[in-house]
Amino acid sequence: MSLAVYLAHSVTESEMSVLWELQASAAAHGIRTNLARYRPVGTLTASRRAEIDQSDAVVAIATRSSEHLDQELAYAVLRRKPTIVFTLPHAHSSVPGVTQIPLRPGTTAAQLLQDIATSYEDDFAKYGPYLMYTSVS
């Protein structure tokens, strides 16, 4: 069984590279990811809800506030998905039940995976074999 993670975000076009790196790094270690397409407005679509339903967890990167991202996060919490948001201070999520971690400027994909694995091992404990590689130097 491989871990499936829905990657939500509210980043600018110039910041997409960290998401692509995270997606590639995860794939290299057997973690399936579904990178959300950015939608600045509108309601959460049925296809987006299905993508979240099919995921084991939701990880989000927020560099700006987004109503649509909050809709995705609220749905993930409703579906009881472990949900982690890496956020800049001005881009926090108002969704209750979401774990928020300050995003350090210049954070790499490897550092994000390390933070996920070490800080939230209880939520992801059943996927330990898929996350253990992040603690290996």
Side-chain angles (χ1 to χ4, degrees):
M1 171 174 93
S2 69
L3 175 64
V5 175
Y6 181 81
L7 292 176
H9 62 90
S10 64
V11 301
T12 64
E13 191 68 33
S14 65
E15 297 167 326
M16 286 295 295
S17 62
V18 74
L19 289 168
W20 297 327
E21 289 175 32
L22 183 58
Q23 190 175 35
S25 183
H29 293 89
I31 299 171
R32 293 182 300 117
T33 58
N34 186 351
L35 181 58
R37 294 165 306 285
Y38 179 68
R39 289 178 49 117
V41 295
T43 59
L44 191 60
T45 63
S47 63
R48 190 70 58 92
R49 287 191 304 271
E51 291 171 357
I52 293 170
D53 287 338
Q54 294 167 7
S55 297
D56 298 306
V58 173
V59 172
I61 309 294
T63 60
R64 56 186 170 171
S65 295
S66 165
E67 181 180 323
H68 192 73
L69 177 62
D70 280 349
Q71 290 175 15
E72 291 175 309
L73 298 175
Y75 184 75
V77 169
L78 176 71
R79 302 300 293 174
R80 301 183 196 277
K81 304 290 181 179
T83 304
I84 299 171
V85 182
F86 292 91
T87 181
L88 291 177
H90 63 277
H92 69 279
S93 173
S94 60
V95 176
V98 171
T99 299
Q100 296 189 58
I101 301 172
L103 185 61
R104 299 174 307 275
T107 299
T108 65
Q111 290 166 326
L112 289 175
L113 287 171
Q114 179 68 36
D115 286 347
I116 292 167
T118 58
S119 300
Y120 297 92
E121 61 188 323
D122 291 341
D123 286 339
F124 294 95
K126 65 181 179 176
Y127 303 106
Y130 300 100
L131 297 175
M132 286 301 292
Y133 76 92
T134 62
S135 60
V136 176
S137 56

